[in-house]
Amino acid sequence: MITLTHYMVLSALLFTLGTIGVLTRKNAIVVFMCVELMLNAVNLTFIALSSHLGNMDGQIFVFFIMTVAAAEAAVGLALMIAFFRNRESIDVEDFSLLKW
Amino acid sequence: MYDNLWLIPLFPFVGFLINGLLGKKIRNEKIIGAIATLAIFSSFVVSCHYFMQLLDDPQKIHQVVVAKWITAGPLHVNWEFLLDPLSGLMILNVSGLATLITLYSIGYMHGEEGYARFFSYMNLFAFAMLMLVLGGNALVLFVGWEGVGLCSYLLIGYYYEKKSASDAGKKAFVVNRVGDFGFLLGLFTLFWSLGQKGVWTINFVEIAENVHLLENGGLVVTVVTLCFFLGATGKSAQIPLYTWLPDAMEGPTPVSALIHAATMVTAGVYMIARMNGLFAMAPDTMMTIAIVGAATALFAATIGLAQNDIKRVLAYSTVSQLGYMFLAMGVGAFTAGIFHLLTHAFFKACLFLGSGSVIHGMHHAFHHAHLNDDPQDMRNMGGLRKKMPITFITFLCSTLAISGIPFFSGFFSKDEILWWSFASTRGHWILWAVGAFAALLTAFYMFRLVFMTFFGEQKTAAAAKDHIPESPFVITFPLMVLATLATFGGLLGVPHALGKLFGHMPNILEEFLAPVFEHTQHLHEIHAHGSASTEYMFMSISVAIAVVGIGIAWVMYCKNPELPGRFVAAFPKLHRAVFNKWYIDEFYDAMVVNPTKKLGTVLWQIFDARFVDGLVNGVAKVVRGSGRVLRYTQTGYTHNYALSMAVGVVVIIAICVIN
Amino acid sequence: MENLVQTAMQNVNFAAIMPSLVLACFGMALLLIVVFSRRGATLHVAGLSLLALLTTAYVAFTGWNNLQTGFAGHVVLDKFSLFFTFIFLIAAALTILMSDSYLKREGYPVGEYYVLILFCTVGAMVMASGTDMMTIFVGLEVLSLSLYVLAGFFRGQLRSNEAGLKYFLLGAFSTGFLLYGMALIYGVTGTTNLVEINQVLSSGSAISANPMALVGMLLLATGFLFKIAIAPFHMWAPDVYQGAPTPITAFMSAGPKAAAFAALMRIFLVSLGSLQGTWEGALWVLAVLTMVTGNFIALNQRDIKRMLAYSSIAHAGYALVGLVAANEIGISGVLYYMLAYTFMNIGAFAVLVLAGKKGEENLTLDGFAGFGYKRPLLGVLLSICLFSLMGVPPTAGFTGKFYIFAGALDAGYVWLAILGVLNSAVSLYYYLRVMVFMYFKDPQEEFDWIQLKPGVTICVVLSVIAVLYLGILPGGVMSLAKLALF
Amino acid sequence: MSEHLLSLMTFFPILGMFIVLLLPRNAGGLLKSVALVVSLITFVISLPLALDPVFKTSAGMHYTEFAEWISVGKYFTMNYSLGVDGISLWLVMLTTFIMPIAILSTWQAVTKHVKAYMAMMLLLETAMLGAFVSLDLFLFYIFWELMLIPMYFMIGIWGGANRIYAAVKFFIYTAVGSLLMLVAILFIYYQAVNSGMDISGFSVTDFYNLSLDPQLQRWLFLAFAFSFAIKVPMFPVHTWLPDAHTEAPTAGSVILAAVMLKMGTYGYLRFAMPLFPEALRYYLPYLTALAVIGIIYGALVAMMQKDVKKLVAYSSVSHLGFVMLGIFALNTVGVSGAVLQMINHGISTGALFLIVGFIYERRHTRLISEFGGLSTSMPVFAVIFMIVTLSSIGLPGTNGFVGEFMILMGAFQGELRWFAVLATSGVILAAVYMLWMFQRVMFGKLDNPKNRDLKDLSLRELCVMAPLLVFIFWIGVCPNTFLDKMTPAVDHMIEQISGKKPIVVPQVLPATPGQGHAAHIQAVEHGEHHE
Amino acid sequence: MELLQLIFFYVVALVTLVAGIGVISCRNPINSAISLVMTFFCLAVFYVMLHAPFMAAIQVMVYAGAIMVLIIFVMMLLNQGLVAIGKHRHALVGAGIAAALLVVQMVITVTKGQVSEPVGAITAKVVESVGHTQLIGQAMFTDFLLPFEIASILLLVAIVGAVVLAKREV
């Protein structure tokens, strides 16, 4: 029997994987993809919970998360392009003009 | 009747204001001098008036409240005056001497820079001194007390461009302040302890009335009186606070005469006499006073033996004579003390003024000859009796008086003190012995002074030799008056023993002062072995001592002038010690002055700057420093920021969930 | 199908979203106008945006005494949200006032800028009035996305790019946590509606020991604390504030911060009130940590913009004290403080806008040497703002801090209050340092490039007047803040 | 008019400040004149207070003004509540009196940014007056903090070489203390509110009746005491003072010494002590010890200073130690002596700073070693300097004596007698450091050629000093002018603090002046004296 | 049947995790992207298993179809080569520790945590009978109308933002 816990643990693992990615990857696009991974983990949680609880709120939430993810992708990638134009790089370690 | 007592201090104050404010404009020395003399003379006249009135008045103690001064809670202080026989005598003494000395100064200070300044200070001093003696409560007395200290400071430092002079002034003030510290403490304790009994007062009359409330001989009274005595030692230059007086000779000679011989330095004696009722209740203090007085008398006399500066010899002699007065106070012979105060004022003022006259002449001569020799050094003098006859005669009279030659004033007063120091219930033969030995030394060094100055060969540099003039009349006149007083002043207080001899000559002074010392009369009881015959014996011993002293001086300084040199060669260390005043100043410097300065420096540069401020700045530095460290957490790398967030989340969750 | 529409329409209550609706409509209309405007002409856009804000303010004002709920409990128009709405509107208006000349100076006269500010404000308003996690989330994202863009708005400027990108990456990361927290809360309670969450949570006593509820709550908080820039989620703030266009920095540290506070307070106080025992302690520590971090690091800054960024972190810490107190005084204190902070902070930034040269390389302490003499009026105005930031009476900053710490003390948080005031003592140093340079050093420059453009001047003057008004006669606004509790 | 007298007085300088701000920047003389006139008018406005006999009989607050200011329900209410009693009366008068003098003293010393300077001075006056007349703790706090701003700028802009350090130190040091006080103020307020007391705002008179838990009192008292101790300044939190004083311009130092330091002592008397009497009892020995340490420490450190101004600054530490000692005596003599000494210190130390200012203007140095023999070139100055020095030393007949005497007397009547003994030794040290300094500056040979042609005091400078000299003697000779009006308030305050009625002894038989008053002692009969 | 389901679940979960590890460990961003797409597909499978077919559909369409295409497109545009995982070892260590703790915490949370009892009436049966899309639509346009509308503003902002940021000239 697949229980809710299975899904929850899986999503927790995925969420953590995403977090690790954000913390370690240097390519801004990859970092962003890891954030997407985190969001997807959240999505899985929501849908699993929604299915368990028997109401649609969680699924609607996922809907909005997807919307937001899309919008963020648009804006984020635009930012990266703008940065790349000036710096010829999207390595996060090159975001070091502002510090201290 | 005594409404206008305030006029007495007022006149000199007005004189002070006139000369102080307008002196620069007046310029004319004669007018300045006249104003000053007149001011103090007026107050002398008024004093005489009131004194006469007092003599006729059956009621001898009068208080005059002029105005309220400080009123707060239980503390009521008025500007009030007290006229009783004691203060009556003192105002006469002060205003009279001040008049003479001011007059003298007109001549002596001629041509000095700051002439008006000098006279205004003199008047201010007279004002303060009169406040002191007239003050009806301890605080008004204290006004005068500090006021004379201030004037002393100003007048010692009169030649302010001279470092030694201004140093001496400062020393005088500070040492006096140490005494004042004691005075204040005594006053506080007295006020508090009487207050505990329900009487909150610092008025002398009320203190005298209520002093019986305190435990006789108890700790409180002893502490109070010891504190007051500390004040007295400061003002009256007793051990341990005498060191300022010799230095004070940096001031012009009239100042030394007026302040450092005749009036101010006796304030301590006066103060003890004023509170005799209180002191009488503290036998321990009385004993201390007597011992200190005797010790000072002897100690200062020893130093006086070896000084070459004419004024310094007189200064140490003053310290020594004040010691006698304290000895008298200590054995309960208040009248004798006051008597000696008066006679001492006469002869010591005369001596100082005489020495001033000498210095004036020497200075004139050296100035004429363009020499830089010290006009005060006795080794430059000698044989002056011919050049300055009036000065010599008056000086000699006074010296005889101080040496205790019979029928000069000093004989009566000193002898009475010595007698009481033996015969009083509080007396002891050791006290007498010390006093007598000091008298021997006194006779010796005073005649040493006379012989070195007026007898023998003239040792003045040849160029100046013939230009030593006798002083003008304005200088010699006060000398003559004072010499007369010094000679005959003793008749005021002829001892009973002698009085009987001369056909029941009364002891005027004792009778007059009796109301003041009424409560302490019991101390005057003569203990067992005191009798008239003993008194005669002691008197003879005194005379003998004086004669011996003079004789030694004559041998050493007239007959065999090389003797002193031999003596010095025989006991070099002793001489050096005596000559350097037993190194007491150096001792104080090493024990008190330098450590205090050092402490100040340490507190400032180490405690204040390093420790306290270091702590303050240290906190600031730590804050800023930790800010600087924290700042480097802000690396600019995005994943570090993300890491910080993740760690934050992890930690917060851990903490909350564990809780 | 018919009844579905009816149900849908029953839920609709436009009155409940009227202010944001009006503003959003204005925003869209402006977008069209921008499209058809000549390139580089932005003045009319700025004017129209101000008009939009004014209209919105009016609409909001009419709704003050008129509680509205609607959209199936997704939104409420109460005094709380309206108070915050006014803060957002003021922040946006002041920002717009100072922006026009700035954009022209820096070479980006783009009309979309204003539109984005308006949309951002809409997002903030939605956050403040949302009563459902979903609404709040969407509002938050509207706000965030606008800000990402605005932070990176000077696309030719590396600093601005970097700021935008950092903000974006970290913001998205924090969104992940936020959402995960929401998911867990949803799992525990079965609902996303704040009121219902509270009902569930306060009904069962076991729930407060439920790790899922706790962790969900903390993750949820993380998302908002990130926006408020509470340590240790603050690290983006200095970089982004420094890199972003100055008016945007000013706006960001006032409006969106207040929005995040609004949402945080609503969620924590309405939904998670029963977990207060837990979050109180956590927020206590975070408040202190934030004050310390912000103030201590600010001590060593020479770039004034960056220094103000750190100071803004510290101020978030002060405001959080009010939330920790979680009593009426503390909460209304936060409201009041956000308003006060809006004025003083924007006022200070507006002077920076005026004083900067193109590229703003001169906005360092040394660049301000003698500023007070060459530009006395501006110097005084900046000083007043700085004194207010310090919390010296009689300024808004003082009354604000007073209010906050009063709340903390009323709730018995004595140590928190003490640490708070000690921190503000530390903060004195770096604010004073600006004045040290402004007044105690000799001028190195003539500051002749400064032109008192009307918009930004009005912005500064208005801010300072408000700062003084709130400092001297704070009673009225304080009472409003008190009324504005839910 | 009289019901708004205090408001008028307090805010008139602010009005003047706006006038000054409206004047053109380069109108130097006009700016100064306007500021001077404004401060003089303020003084005139405040005069009715000093002349009002009501203070002689009544201990309460007079000229009270009350208006609701901020009211946020039960959260907090602050009122605009002013009033003076016999204690604050004299501090107010001191402020209005010193201000014109301070302004006049800057006539030539300040050349740059005159407008700002005058504006700051006037702002400062309002702040100081406000702090003295506030009866609402919140209002008081506002004025209290407001004072810092103008002083900060005065030190920082017109100060000496190390002015930035001094200004920042001054500001932060004092702010740290007052912020803690703010916490305590709020805490008391909520204690009062939560205990259901009927209070009107932060009214201090209401708080007096608040009975707090003793343990709590101690903490609250510490917060207040710390804040005020910094301002006083008491040892060991005095280190801002030498820096601030040394670097501040003359007028700044004068105001700082004359008025602002009094804020601390006033704060103790008005707030810290009556609000927390039990805590006071607990801390009294420690505080007294600190006061005494301050007296001796300040004197010892002052003694070794090389800079005249720093010396005077440290002497302030010593003098304020006396004031604190008097306050802690908790009896009429001590406390009224302390209040009187506050005024005295204002006058004497204010005058000393003016004097230092005079020579600094002439020689642009304050190092003692640079001077010597100035008496020769500046005789009038020498006289004035002497008088002020003596007043600072506490010579009888000058103001300093009356104050110090009363303080020591009072302290001695209290329970902490031994501290009074130690403190009395400060009298000696004061003479040492002041006279030594005076000697080194004024006496000796005029051997530094730069000192040879120094001009004596100008008419303006004499005008600056003259009123101070008048008061030096006035208070010295007739302190009752001042004591009469403060005693009822002081007694009331002591009762408030210690819960005991202070001892008041009506004076017995004060014979009317001019009437010879026969003592009770009967004239002793002249009996025959025994042999 | 249930066992089979469970095995299926584990297989897909494994694939998901492996793909997830691929996302964070592939040196080539393109490979990461492909792994991410793989994860998305796996998740879609789970959605189906959770009776949310509509969500599965838009998961594939929006995420895999739209977002990932956009990402890959930009990646190509920027022409990024190989990028190492990270230079800073200590950062890696820190990240590792933080992540390990995080995963422990999350797993404890979701296993120990008490999820609410079912509250709604929408069981698998209802989904099957009414249809998932309709249910979503009903909820979206009744209860969740407001966020939906605001989402439109969100997208508008995104568009405007992207345009403003990415266009070359003013």
Side-chain angles (χ1 to χ4, degrees), chain D residues 92-282:
Chain D
V92 166
M93 292 312 299
L94 177 69
T95 313
T96 55
F97 169 72
I98 285 286
M99 217 59 203
I101 292 176
I103 290 176
L104 195 60
S105 77
T106 59
W107 220 255
Q108 271 151 19
V110 172
T111 47
K112 60 172 186 179
H113 316 304
V114 178
K115 181 170 158 180
Y117 191 89
M118 293 301 155
M120 289 297 165
M121 291 285 269
L122 293 171
L123 180 61
L124 191 58
E125 181 167 15
T126 289
M128 294 188 302
L129 288 173
F132 283 133
V133 298
S134 299
L135 294 184
D136 188 282
L137 266 171
F138 183 80
L139 190 63
F140 167 77
Y141 185 81
I142 286 190
F143 283 121
W144 167 272
E145 286 277 283
L146 186 63
M147 266 186 309
L148 296 183
I149 297 174
M151 196 37 102
Y152 170 72
F153 283 113
M154 279 173 69
I155 297 173
I157 298 178
W158 295 276
N162 199 13
R163 59 186 196 274
I164 295 174
Y165 171 74
V168 174
K169 192 174 180 182
F170 161 76
F171 198 105
I172 295 181
Y173 222 128
T174 32
V176 168
S178 46
L179 283 166
L180 288 175
M181 178 171 72
L182 178 66
V183 173
I185 291 175
L186 277 168
F187 196 90
I188 305 172
Y189 179 78
Y190 288 111
Q191 283 289 319
V193 170
N194 294 339
S195 71
M197 236 178 87
D198 183 31
I199 51 167
S200 102
F202 287 71
S203 159
V204 67
T205 38
D206 286 349
F207 288 163
Y208 284 162
N209 304 323
L210 191 63
S211 54
L212 294 165
D213 171 54
Q215 196 63 39
L216 197 62
Q217 276 199 19
R218 288 186 196 170
W219 287 107
L220 293 172
F221 179 79
L222 274 188
F224 272 77
F226 182 63
S227 168
F228 293 135
I230 289 175
K231 201 77 157 196
V232 170
M234 282 174 85
F235 177 87
V237 284
H238 62 278
T239 50
W240 63 271
L241 181 87
D243 289 312
H245 264 326
T246 314
E247 301 303 332
T250 301
S253 302
V254 171
I255 295 171
L256 199 56
V259 186
M260 277 177 85
L261 302 189
K262 308 307 168 319
M263 290 287 164
T265 47
Y266 173 75
Y268 265 97
L269 204 50
R270 169 79 71 225
F271 303 108
M273 294 169 49
L275 283 176
F276 317 107
E278 281 169 54
L280 174 71
R281 221 156 295 148
Y282 178 77

Side-chain angles (χ1 to χ4, degrees), chain B residues 9 13 27 114 175 209 243 287 304 309 434 504 534 598 643-644 646:
Chain B
F13 189 70
R27 288 228 182 94
V175 173
E209 271 175 358
T243 51
M287 193 162 74
D309 185 310
V434 172
H504 292 282
T534 338
K598 193 144 239 168
L643 182 62
S644 134

Side-chain angles (χ1 to χ4, degrees), chain A residues 38-71:
Chain A
M38 289 166 74
L39 295 185
N40 270 283
V42 174
N43 287 351
L44 180 58
T45 315
F46 264 123
I47 290 177
L49 285 169
S50 168
S51 159
H52 164 78
L53 295 169
N55 69 14
M56 297 303 287
D57 296 14
Q59 297 188 22
I60 304 286
F61 216 130
V62 171
F63 188 87
F64 289 118
I65 294 175
M66 286 179 181
T67 317
V68 165

Side-chain angles (χ1 to χ4, degrees), chain B residues 189-206:
Chain B
T189 319
L190 178 65
F191 184 71
W192 166 71
S193 50
L194 280 177
Q196 296 304 97
K197 312 286 180 197
V199 182
W200 301 90
T201 184
I202 57 169
N203 179 297
F204 289 129
V205 176
E206 286 174 31

